[in-house]
Amino acid sequence: MSAENTLRSSEAPLARLKRVSMAARFASYAAALLMGFGMAWLWSDPESLANHARGTIGVTVAPPTTAMRSYWLALSVGAVPAGLFIYAMLRLANLFGRFGKGRVLEVVNAVELSRIGWLLILFGAATPVARALQSVALTYDNPAGRRQLAITLDPGMFGALAAGAVLVAFGLVLREAMRLSDENQSFV
């Protein structure tokens, strides 16, 4: 094999890695941006908020109050899981940026992968708690008998928990594999 063919064969995987990493990085940024846009749109449109309160949060008393105190408290509570998701996606985009530079099998990446997993686990766990607190906040100023605590679960939360657990486990396995590889290299 000539030097030129060797160079081409080594560039092809790196070029693919760069393309895939760039696409994944773009998708991670897009997911973070969409979450931020979705939060802004949801909380700026009273009709969408009322539909969200009834459908997603589980508030069955109609309509939930729109007192400013209730609104801001519910928004603040909802910002917690949204912020966790956005932060996880930004960290994931950063990780794919490292991959795109050819920095793949590094311990820092394995640690980062586990951290992203933990953020997704927190997102999945915080979402039903936030929704329950939002139901209380949105109905707090209602008259007695019209206040509500709604607890809702959906497949997305379980998906986030499962994805987070897989990333944590994969990060730990990758870290251990690199440790074993370093240990084996030291014997040679």
Side-chain angles (χ1 to χ4, degrees):
M1 188 185 303
S2 72
E4 185 177 313
N5 287 341
T6 303
L7 183 60
R8 269 194 225 141
S9 67
S10 67
E11 285 180 13
L14 184 58
R16 275 194 311 269
L17 177 64
K18 285 182 180 184
R19 277 194 314 275
V20 170
S21 295
M22 185 185 322
R25 190 173 194 198
F26 174 78
S28 299
Y29 281 133
L33 186 64
L34 285 172
M35 177 62 86
F37 175 76
M39 282 289 292
W41 172 73
L42 175 69
W43 290 93
S44 65
D45 181 27
E47 187 175 327
S48 295
L49 180 57
N51 289 334
H52 177 70
R54 281 189 291 278
T56 305
I57 296 173
V59 174
T60 58
V61 293
T65 71
T66 54
M68 291 307 287
R69 172 179 55 184
S70 296
Y71 170 86
W72 286 108
L73 185 56
L75 170 62
S76 299
V77 169
V80 172
L84 288 167
F85 180 80
I86 290 169
Y87 188 50
M89 291 302 102
L90 294 176
R91 290 189 82 136
L92 189 60
N94 184 48
L95 182 63
F96 280 115
R98 292 175 58 81
F99 291 165
K101 293 175 185 169
R103 299 173 64 190
V104 179
L105 295 175
E106 296 181 358
V107 174
V108 69
N109 293 344
V111 171
E112 187 64 14
L113 198 57
S114 290
R115 286 182 183 153
I116 293 165
W118 282 113
L119 285 169
L120 289 177
I121 289 170
L122 286 172
F123 165 71
T127 299
V129 173
R131 287 180 182 168
L133 292 173
Q134 285 177 317
S135 71
V136 171
L138 289 171
T139 61
Y140 185 76
D141 289 326
N142 284 359
R146 305 282 295 160
R147 297 180 187 137
Q148 189 172 11
L149 167 64
I151 299 174
T152 59
L153 300 173
D154 68 57
M157 290 176 230
F158 297 112
L161 290 169
V166 167
L167 290 178
V168 168
F170 189 67
L172 293 172
V173 167
L174 187 60
R175 194 171 176 183
E176 186 63 19
M178 286 185 281
R179 187 190 66 74
L180 288 173
S181 176
D182 289 346
E183 189 176 294
N184 287 340
Q185 290 295 328
S186 69
F187 288 130
V188 173

